[in-house]
């Protein structure tokens, strides 16, 4: 999940991932409506408990959201619930926070940075992972199981293990046994470092999840294509990729959320002008932790894109799921 | 144009344009390679030409782009070797090797450079001093376990990994059961699942606002302190007083992770066979007995997935601690302390903390690998 997988939950071994992928893609009660009649809660206490949990889970975000639209002096002197007695709305906090920031860049620029970091860091690892997953699922070779378990086991490695050496690899170039293999990323490395890092860290989980989904494609489909003279590449592009779309979509949303919401990789790799919005927000929280008019609006600027992506893609997921269920 | 030129040229573009250019460039390279790979293993003069072109063009392109003879030589050897093997083995009908390499190579290259080598380096670095030059044995580990702060960091991490998965899973499961097949189930789900999309930094700010403290003489702006005041209590400094402040931080991760647990468990509950539940009902089992002896055993795999995922997320928790207390007031955890030591240029200590984190993750993943193996055996 969020971090996937949380995300912060990026690298997560999941023992029955096809199941969990489906669970995520279902989102709402899609299965529930299938075949079973809906009924009202039969137990009033269960109903009360679920309402209490729903309210508890919503209030913190709601409070911050309301505060972000209240005038500065009101945020600092009265609680956000007073808003209902004295509703007064302003957009000033948002204007202020977008132009504030560090000496190097403003919140608005870091918001753009977040977009620039997230697009390649979501698409590139998915391309690489789907190719590798295809090879694992449909090309038979010696040592396949061993290699696959090795990839799964790589999820053990917390990214904290890799951060510092990777940073020096980026700044000095890759040096193997005294042989300079690549040049340092150098001045051009602003975003490139972050892209590379996110791509590398995403691979084990993405390969694992996509492999599980791809290997469930009925082999008759692929054999039939073979007989018709399709090459591996054609099978990959025309058959496997389209049928794997639901899984690719859910891995993509997790990777997107993880990269957008990440702070650790950003702190280590995204220096100066390339910093994403989470890094700037964390800095503002450290230095101006009592400027609640900035913090509330800033938090919402950072939350809005993942929320939009999350809700927009949920529908797409359901469609992908339905397409997948008719394949047999 | 070399790789450096290309990246410098890209670097002059606006950020989002850079992102798009890089993705397109990457897609083109992948497409060209896959095309060459696709046509190569067949027989016929045209395909032979494609193979020849690949043997020559790919190393040249590499040399031109990276300005590195090593790379060009390496690639030429690999490509030539693969074609030799391919020709040799395709007689036995096994012309797949080149495809295998092409499909796997990018992932393996990146995993080796990005995860395998760095992890080994970190492991070695944990036995070195801060400059990484001299071997000091276990001193870094002794430093961590030899002082109360270090022990507290490890204990805090263990508290996180015990409390967060348990509470999130129980609440998520209860909620999933309560809202199962009710009116408005979708809305209920979205409300609790939404925090998953919020960054830990954002969540940290949201909850700092909930915990915000003002002296008793002022109006409170943090909801929790206001509730205390309404009930006649004194406002509290939730984030300053150990050991309870750790638990107030833990609340934030529980808030984020419960939605994840709920969605997965809910989907799995819907998969429980209706016949079993009806049979249990006919046997006179009440709702709680049906839940305990039919539902829970049926969703056991999902429970394991949820517990594992959330445990690992809690072990690695960093952002919440960083934004809410920065690890002060005895709230630090391994991941945060590792970053703190790294930014103090204490590379050895930072590496040792990362290794301890690794050691704590191992049993969880080993358990899961065993579960996978068992499932494969059943199939």
């Amino acid at each position: 999940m969020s971090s996937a997988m949380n995300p912060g939950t990026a690298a997560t071994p999941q023992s029955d991932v096809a199941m969990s992928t489906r669970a995520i893609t279902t989102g709402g009660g899609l299965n529930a409506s299938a075949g079973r009649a809906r009924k009202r809660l039969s137990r009033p206490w269960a109903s009360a408990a679920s309402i209490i949990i729903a309210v508890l889970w919503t209030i913190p975000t709601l409070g911050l959201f309301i505060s972000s639209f209240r005038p500065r002096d009101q945020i600092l002197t009265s609680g956000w619930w007073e808003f209902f007695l004295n509703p007064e709305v302003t957009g000033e906090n948002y204007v202020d926070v977008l132009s504030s920031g560090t000496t190097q860049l403003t919140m608005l620029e870091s918001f753009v940075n977040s977009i620039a970091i997230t697009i390649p860091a979501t698409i590139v690892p998915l391309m690489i992972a789907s190719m590798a997953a295809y090879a694992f699922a449909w090309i038979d070779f010696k040592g396949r199981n061993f290699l696959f378990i090795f990839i799964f086991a790589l999820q053990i490695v917390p990214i904290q293990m890799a951060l510092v050496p990777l940073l020096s690899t980026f700044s000095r170039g890759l040096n193997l046994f005294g042989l300079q293999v690549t040049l340092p990323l150098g001045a051009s490395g602003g975003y490139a470092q972050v892209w590379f890092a996110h791509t590398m860290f995403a691979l084990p989980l993405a390969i694992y999840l996509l492999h599980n989904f791809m290997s469930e494609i009925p082999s008759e489909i692929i054999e039939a294509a073979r007989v018709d003279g399709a090459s591996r590449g054609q099978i990959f592009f025309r058959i496997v990729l389209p049928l794997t779309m639901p899984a690719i979509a859910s891995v993509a949303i997790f990777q997107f959320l993880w990269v957008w919401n990440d702070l650790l990789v950003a702190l280590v790799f995204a220096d100066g002008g390339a910093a994403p919005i989470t890094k700037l927000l964390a800095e503002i929280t450290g230095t101006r932790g009592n400027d609640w008019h900035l913090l509330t609006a800033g938090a919402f600027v950072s939350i809005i894109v993942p929320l939009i992506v999350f809700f927009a893609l949920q529908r797409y997921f359901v469609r992908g799921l339905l397409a997948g269920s008719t394949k047999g | 144009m070399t790789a450096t030129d290309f990246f410098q040229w890209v670097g002059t573009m606006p950020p989002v344009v850079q992102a798009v250019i890089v993705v397109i460039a990457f897609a083109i390279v992948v497409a060209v390679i896959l095309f060459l790979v696709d046509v190569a293993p067949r027989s016929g003069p045209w395909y032979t030409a494609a193979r020849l072109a690949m043997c020559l063009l790919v190393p040249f392109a590499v040399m031109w782009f990276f300005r590195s003879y090593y790379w060009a030589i390496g690639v030429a050897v690999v490509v030539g070797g693969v074609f030799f093997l391919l020709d040799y083995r395709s007689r036995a009908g096994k012309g797949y090797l080149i495809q295998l390499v092409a499909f796997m190579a990018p992932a393996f290259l990146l995993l080796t450079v990005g995860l395998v080598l760095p992890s080994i380096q970190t492991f070695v670095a944990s036995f070195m001093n801060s400059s990484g030059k001299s071997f000091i044995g276990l001193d870094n580990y002794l430093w961590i376990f030899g002082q109360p702060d270090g022990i507290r960091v490890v204990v805090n991490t263990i508290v996180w990994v015990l409390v967060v998965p348990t509470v999130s899973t129980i609440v998520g499961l209860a909620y999933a059961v309560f809202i199962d097949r009710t009116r408005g189930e979708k809305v209920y789900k979205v409300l609790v699942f939404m925090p998953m999309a919020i960054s830990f930094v954002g969540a940290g700010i949201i909850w700092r606002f909930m915990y915000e403290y003002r002296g008793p003489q002022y109006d409170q702006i943090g909801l929790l302190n206001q509730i205390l005041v309404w009930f006649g209590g004194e406002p509290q400094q939730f984030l300053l007083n150990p050991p309870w402040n750790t638990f107030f931080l833990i609340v934030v991760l529980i808030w984020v992770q419960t939605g994840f647990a709920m969605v997965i468990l809910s989907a799995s509950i819907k998969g429980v066979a209706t016949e079993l539940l009806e049979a249990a009902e006919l046997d006179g089992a009440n709702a709680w007995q049906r839940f305990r002896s039919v539902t829970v055993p049926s969703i056991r795999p999902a429970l394991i997935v949820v517990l594992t995922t959330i445990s690992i997320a809690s072990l690695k928790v960093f952002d919440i601690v960083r934004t809410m207390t920065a690890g002060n007031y005895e709230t630090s955890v391994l991941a945060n302390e590792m970053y703190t030591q790294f930014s103090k240029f204490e590379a050895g200590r930072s590496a040792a903390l990362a290794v301890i984190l690794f050691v704590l993750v191992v049993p969880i993943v080993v358990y899961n690998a065993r579960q996978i193996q068992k499932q494969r055996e059943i199939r």
Side-chain angles (χ1 to χ4, degrees), chain A residues 5-255:
Chain A
M5 29 174 64
N6 183 324
T9 60
T12 45
Q14 307 199 327
S15 63
D16 191 359
V17 175
M19 187 282 301
S20 62
T21 316
R22 242 168 261 148
I24 291 151
T25 52
T26 326
L30 187 78
N31 294 340
S33 54
R36 293 193 209 175
R38 292 190 175 220
K39 58 180 183 199
R40 280 173 189 279
L41 281 173
S42 49
R43 301 144 294 180
W45 58 267
S47 167
S50 45
I51 289 171
I52 289 172
I53 294 177
V55 168
L56 282 180
W57 253 251
T58 317
I59 275 189
T61 320
L62 183 75
L64 197 81
F65 182 67
I66 290 174
S67 291
S68 71
F69 287 105
R70 299 182 78 210
R72 177 168 188 266
D73 50 322
Q74 285 193 15
I75 299 181
L76 295 178
T77 54
S78 66
W80 54 267
W81 48 92
E82 308 261 329
F83 171 82
F84 298 106
L85 303 173
N86 175 24
E88 201 177 321
V89 175
T90 172
E92 233 170 76
N93 299 334
Y94 284 88
V95 178
D96 281 358
V97 80
L98 286 177
S99 56
S100 71
T102 59
T103 45
Q104 275 169 312
L105 78 172
T106 65
M107 192 70 92
L108 183 64
E109 286 166 331
S110 72
F111 181 79
V112 176
N113 280 344
S114 275
I115 299 175
I117 289 172
T118 311
I119 296 171
T122 305
I123 299 175
V124 171
L126 270 171
M127 288 200 237
I128 296 177
S130 54
M131 283 164 64
Y134 170 69
F136 273 123
W138 290 104
I139 302 181
D140 204 15
F141 58 94
K142 242 186 207 166
R144 178 165 77 161
N145 283 339
F146 172 77
L147 269 182
F148 186 65
I149 287 171
F150 178 71
I151 297 248
F152 174 77
L154 276 181
Q155 294 177 56
I156 290 184
V157 181
I159 59 171
Q160 281 87 350
M161 281 283 274
L163 288 177
V164 181
L166 197 55
L167 186 68
S168 78
T169 301
F170 285 150
S171 61
R172 280 187 244 144
L174 180 61
N175 192 310
L176 273 185
F177 310 114
L179 189 73
Q180 191 72 21
V181 186
T182 59
L183 295 172
L185 282 170
S188 61
Y191 296 115
Q193 286 192 18
V194 200
W195 292 332
F196 272 115
H198 279 305
T199 303
M200 290 159 172
F201 297 147
L203 284 177
L205 183 67
I207 294 176
Y208 178 70
L209 292 178
L210 293 178
H211 161 269
N212 284 0
F213 207 90
M214 281 181 188
S215 55
E216 278 183 7
I217 296 173
S219 58
E220 298 85 38
I221 297 182
I222 292 183
E223 288 309 319
R226 270 277 171 66
V227 172
D228 290 346
S231 66
R232 294 258 185 209
Q234 284 166 333
I235 292 174
F236 177 63
F237 277 110
R238 301 227 178 116
I239 297 171
V240 174
L241 275 192
L243 286 178
T244 319
M245 265 343 261
I248 292 180
S250 51
V251 176
I253 200 175
F254 271 118
Q255 176 68 3

